[in-house]
Amino acid sequence: MILGFALAAYAIVANDSIQTLGTFLSSNAKRPWWILWAWISGIMIVTVTWGWVSNGGDPAFGRLTAKHIPFPSEYGGVFTWVFILPPLALVILTRMGIPVSTSLLVLTGFKGIVAAQEGNSYTEAVDLFKSMMEKSLVGYAIAFALGFVIFWLVTAKLEKHFIETHGDKTPHPFWTVFQWLSTGFLWSMWLVQDLANIFVYLPRQLHVSGLVLSLLGMVLLQGYLIRSRGGKIQKIVTSKTNTIDVRSATFIDLLYGLVLLFFKVDYIPKLFEAMGLAVPWPPKMPMSTTWVFLGLLAGREIGLALYLRHRSKKKIRNLVFGDAGKAVVGSIVAIVLAMIVPIMITPVPEEVQEEARAQHATEIAESEEATLEESLADEVQEVQTTPNEQ
């Protein structure tokens, strides 16, 4: 369990650094790494703690319950070396510089193993993959359209000015402040979406000690990542137009953060429900932020190319389809793992599952009863301490 958490925490943050921290690292390359580390780690601690407090001890913001991805002990299962395979595959792909959808790879693989231990078919994992992929492709399309329209019709002139003046003089300090704030906003929105990929290896209700230890490990891994300036994955960002300019990076981070906020609030399921239509995916369904980010970069690159005429159609096509092709490789690995890994699993006997589920239900009921009693006690105390107006 601990090894799975450590591998997932490193690989997920390292692979997804291109989305949230890529432009931040490239545009602040001359600053001491520990300053960047302090800023990013501080936001991470606040966001994870906020999720833990607001969701009753669940730092994953409830996203593991959207498609019922249980902790093995809930049904009498145990962690085996097989659970390590999804994050291990992610580490290997990350070291190769391939941008992979961590949600699709880790959560689909984990769901497949859980289904096998429960004696169910791997189709449960395939269904989860399908739902997450549908939401992710919608995210890609929305991000692509926004990136194309905004960077072609709205900010293209600014981008041209940024390119022409890059290196002439230091940008106004306002841009640095704005970019750090936009990166902080984006980083927090990304954590809300992808913390489920990391905390899937820990109990769904963490004690304070578990929260502190997990945060300590994530902060240390974050320091290693920032000191290495993102690794090979960082090339996905630096190959794009003028992403090392702090002013350009600010617009990318802000727009990407707004797209993730749109999906965090689940506007699409709410809209379908209000119109009386079938909801395309459940609320809080995990999604691939990698696909969203690649869609934004692709739309931006095409929009700028139409305005600036600085790159050939072949070059643009190679950049866009090259990034998408690498993401497809990760998706294929995810579905293959979900179908093959369960073969190595021995199902848990039904009587053991029934006993474990009954015990888990009792623990939940006792926890809810204790919470209710505490709430009632607080209300009684508040009434007793309120002055009698009569």
Side-chain angles (χ1 to χ4, degrees):
M1 178 179 68
I2 296 174
L3 181 58
F5 173 82
L7 287 173
Y10 164 74
I12 288 168
V13 176
N15 198 284
D16 287 352
S17 66
I18 61 168
Q19 308 168 24
T20 53
L21 305 179
T23 53
F24 181 69
L25 295 177
S26 61
S27 59
N28 289 278
K30 296 182 180 180
R31 298 183 185 276
W33 69 272
W34 58 268
I35 295 180
L36 311 182
W37 178 38
W39 174 246
I40 293 301
S41 297
I43 293 174
M44 180 171 65
I45 291 173
V46 171
T47 304
V48 174
T49 305
W50 165 47
W52 181 79
V53 171
S54 60
N55 292 276
D58 178 15
F61 289 86
R63 298 194 178 277
L64 295 173
T65 61
K67 269 292 186 176
H68 185 57
I69 306 179
F71 194 69
S73 62
E74 295 178 13
Y75 57 84
V78 294
F79 274 98
T80 69
W81 65 271
V82 180
F83 278 91
I84 307 299
L85 292 180
L88 184 60
L90 185 56
V91 169
I92 295 172
L93 293 173
T94 299
R95 299 300 296 177
M96 295 171 62
I98 298 177
V100 184
S101 169
T102 57
S103 297
L104 296 176
L105 182 55
V106 174
L107 295 185
T108 301
F110 196 97
K111 179 66 174 180
I113 298 171
V114 165
Q117 283 193 343
E118 291 179 316
N120 300 325
S121 171
Y122 65 81
T123 54
E124 289 189 5
V126 176
D127 291 340
L128 174 62
F129 176 89
K130 180 182 177 182
S131 297
M132 288 194 296
M133 196 66 195
E134 288 175 351
K135 185 176 181 180
S136 302
L137 291 178
V138 172
Y140 182 96
I142 291 175
F144 180 92
L146 285 176
F148 174 74
V149 172
I150 290 178
F151 286 99
W152 177 37
L153 299 178
V154 180
T155 66
K157 289 184 177 180
L158 278 175
E159 292 288 345
K160 182 179 180 181
H161 172 71
F162 296 158
I163 294 173
E164 292 174 349
T165 60
H166 181 72
D168 292 348
K169 60 180 180 179
T170 304
H172 193 278
F174 162 81
W175 286 105
T176 300
V177 174
F178 193 23
Q179 197 234 354
W180 281 53
L181 292 176
S182 64
T183 298
F185 166 67
L186 168 59
W187 179 230
S188 63
M189 289 298 100
W190 178 85
L191 286 169
V192 170
Q193 292 286 346
D194 278 25
L195 281 174
N197 309 340
I198 302 174
F199 284 99
V200 69
Y201 281 91
L202 297 183
R204 302 298 175 255
Q205 303 294 321
L206 274 183
H207 293 293
V208 176
S209 58
L211 176 69
V212 172
L213 289 175
S214 59
L215 279 174
L216 178 61
M218 292 169 68
V219 167
L220 293 176
L221 289 171
Q222 196 69 56
Y224 169 76
L225 170 67
I226 293 180
R227 189 171 185 179
S228 63
R229 299 294 177 176
K232 292 184 178 180
I233 293 288
Q234 184 69 0
K235 293 180 181 178
I236 299 293
V237 171
T238 55
S239 64
K240 303 302 185 294
T241 302
N242 203 36
T243 52
I244 62 175
D245 191 299
V246 65
R247 299 164 295 184
S248 296
T250 297
F251 285 109
I252 296 173
D253 291 350
L254 181 60
L255 182 58
Y256 182 37
L258 291 174
V259 174
L260 292 185
L261 177 62
F262 175 82
F263 282 97
K264 173 188 178 296
V265 183
D266 281 322
Y267 280 117
I268 293 179
K270 291 178 180 178
L271 177 61
F272 273 69
E273 186 177 359
M275 297 173 62
L277 302 174
V279 179
W281 54 75
K284 295 186 177 182
M285 168 63 66
M287 67 180 298
S288 169
T289 52
T290 298
W291 279 97
V292 176
F293 182 69
L294 294 179
L296 177 62
L297 286 186
R300 174 182 182 271
E301 204 64 25
I302 294 176
L304 290 180
L306 288 177
Y307 185 86
L308 301 177
R309 307 288 183 180
H310 66 304
R311 282 179 170 173
S312 64
K313 294 182 180 179
K314 181 179 180 180
K315 178 67 174 179
I316 298 297
R317 185 170 60 249
N318 290 340
L319 282 174
V320 172
F321 287 101
D323 292 346
K326 292 176 181 178
V328 168
V329 169
S331 301
I332 293 174
V333 172
I335 201 68
V336 169
L337 277 177
M339 296 173 66
I340 294 179
V341 169
I343 299 175
M344 311 175 190
I345 295 295
T346 301
V348 178
E350 291 186 8
E351 57 272 17
V352 175
Q353 292 192 45
E354 292 177 2
E355 182 179 352
R357 287 196 174 95
Q359 182 179 355
H360 180 63
T362 302
E363 292 174 354
I364 292 178
E366 291 176 350
S367 176
E368 291 178 349
E369 183 179 355
T371 303
L372 179 60
E373 290 178 355
E374 183 179 351
S375 176
L376 290 174
D378 291 340
E379 290 181 7
V380 171
Q381 184 178 4
E382 183 179 352
V383 170
Q384 291 175 345
T385 56
T386 301
N388 191 330
E389 294 182 359
Q390 292 181 348

